[in-house]
Amino acid sequence: MYYGKKKAIIIAVIIVLLVLILAVGGVFVYFYTDLFKSNETLFYQYIAKGLESISVPQSTQLQDIMTMKQNQAYEVNGELTFEYTLAEETQEMQALADAFKQVKIIVTGKNDPVQEASYRKLDMQLAETSIFEVEYANSNQIAALKSDEIVNAYVGIKNENLKVLAQKLGIQATEAIPDSIGENSISVEELFSITEEEKTHIQDTYGEVLKNNITSDLYTKLQDMTIQKNGVDYVTTAYRLDLTGQDVKNVIIQILQALKEDSITLNWLTTKAKLLGLDEQFTEVNQFTTLIENEIEQINNDEEFAQSGLSVVVYTYQGETILTELILENKVKLTLDCQKEQTGNTILNLKIENLAAETEFSKIEIIMTFQVTETQTFIQYEMNMDDTAIYTLNTTTIGTVSQNNVNTTTEFSMSQEGENWTISYQEQQNFVNEVEDMILLDNTNCAILNDYTTEQLQQLLAAITQRTMVVWNEKMQIIAMNSMNETFNIGEGEG
């Protein structure tokens, strides 16, 4: 059942991808006046404009830093802190919040790209006193951990024969596990590459399919539509496409029928499937064609397929697309827009609204903010669920490789029912000519789990787990005692 859903999802992604290439490629875009243009032409013109505006600014600063890390050694100094804001202000809860503020993790480390080695030491501190340390090392294709309170040597996994190791660990389903991580590494640039010839072919082929299977009367123009965006009211002209369930069904079947006979696009898609490491159903043209035929048959036989249809509305103001809505089967509405502010911020907004009567949530808003300069990159992701749960992740990177140091601050916060958790990490990276005393792992300083028999693995991991729980309980008692002291101090102060 799950695998059948997976195939249907991949087929749906392929269809959306082809339609996006059509729109972004500008098949229906004209650069002259809108006068005398049909509703159909204007609909696609403004859809294309909307998609073209959804662009994430490229940070040459981050690209330079990434390139530098691949070629230059660097040292790391970081600090991880926690903050908890309570919903109920009792002595115990206040003490707990104060205790968390006194916990921090000091991170030190180094990377050597020449030796392909990295090292990190994490020192957990409570009120400036170290209470637990753990070390991480990665070299010679081995990733390992060590804590002197738990085990006196590194314990690691070598990046080879991972299927066999998984079987020793009792994992039955190992089909999706590679023999080594990175053997099917994906080049993002190669994955999203498309030649002009391929793009033109897709535009011509599937543009014709849409034209022949969506009649012009399904496109309408709506004048003086007032919408609100960022607190501002706009009187817009909207272009709308309304497809019944049968229309959606017919268009998808016709796209799949065209794809089944389209060797150029089939080869392009199967090449991308190989990069993603998908199985032969998607990487071999003959098998992929059979899969498409089966999908067509299933859609034809599914009487409930897209019953309520699909509506797409494009809102335009002064010749620009300012908002796009998709209404799926009268159950879900997606709203998408992008804006570029005078401050330099680029903001992408996605709103998901449930239109059905009984749902787990009524509205989810996702806001992505980007601000990029030569010396600073700010990226923020925020998700708001019904104004009751808000999750925020933001990262600020300051500095350049020419200055030989970069400072990055990352903060994650979660706010729900009056409680707020914040985790902050600040890190400084200093580029150096070389690093000293780099940990290089081998079987003299590391217990490599791949080399153990199944029985030896079970015994070793059981011993490590048992010791880890003992140490964990000890540390929790230390933090609990500190919290009790905080409660006592708060009581004393109130007295």
Side-chain angles (χ1 to χ4, degrees), residues 382-448:
E382 179 181 311
M383 182 172 72
N384 183 331
M385 299 181 64
D386 291 334
D387 297 324
T388 59
I390 301 174
Y391 307 89
T392 304
L393 174 65
N394 61 64
T395 301
T396 303
T397 303
I398 301 173
T400 63
V401 295
S402 62
Q403 298 169 335
N404 284 336
N405 72 81
V406 174
N407 293 283
T408 301
T409 301
T410 301
E411 184 175 278
F412 172 76
S413 65
M414 177 180 67
S415 178
Q416 188 171 8
E417 296 179 352
E419 294 185 344
N420 186 74
W421 285 91
T422 301
I423 303 174
S424 301
Y425 180 62
Q426 296 181 337
E427 181 177 279
Q428 182 181 53
Q429 300 161 6
N430 296 305
F431 295 98
V432 296
N433 291 327
E434 60 179 356
V435 292
E436 298 179 353
D437 302 322
M438 176 61 77
I439 299 295
L440 299 178
L441 299 170
D442 56 32
N443 55 16
T444 65
N445 60 3
C446 180
I448 303 173

Side-chain angles (χ1 to χ4, degrees), residues 53 229-230 337-341 345-349 368:
S53 71
K229 177 178 174 180
N230 303 318
D337 74 273
C338 177
Q339 64 189 78
K340 293 178 171 57
E341 299 182 333
N345 287 353
T346 297
I347 303 176
L348 302 180
N349 296 282
M368 293 167 278

Side-chain angles (χ1 to χ4, degrees), residues 232-295:
V232 178
D233 288 336
Y234 293 88
V235 179
T236 69
T237 299
Y239 297 91
R240 181 173 180 130
L241 169 63
D242 292 295
L243 300 175
T244 65
Q246 187 58 47
D247 291 331
V248 174
K249 189 173 187 177
N250 181 58
V251 168
I252 290 177
I253 288 174
Q254 294 305 316
I255 288 175
L256 292 176
Q257 290 283 12
L259 178 59
K260 188 178 67 171
E261 307 296 332
D262 180 4
S263 60
I264 294 176
T265 306
L266 283 173
N267 284 322
W268 182 75
L269 289 169
T270 52
T271 299
K272 305 305 178 185
K274 289 175 183 175
L275 292 174
L276 291 169
L278 300 179
D279 59 41
E280 291 184 351
Q281 284 193 94
F282 305 101
T283 60
E284 298 295 329
V285 171
N286 290 338
Q287 292 191 40
F288 191 32
T289 302
T290 301
L291 179 62
I292 293 171
E293 291 173 347
N294 293 337
E295 193 67 22

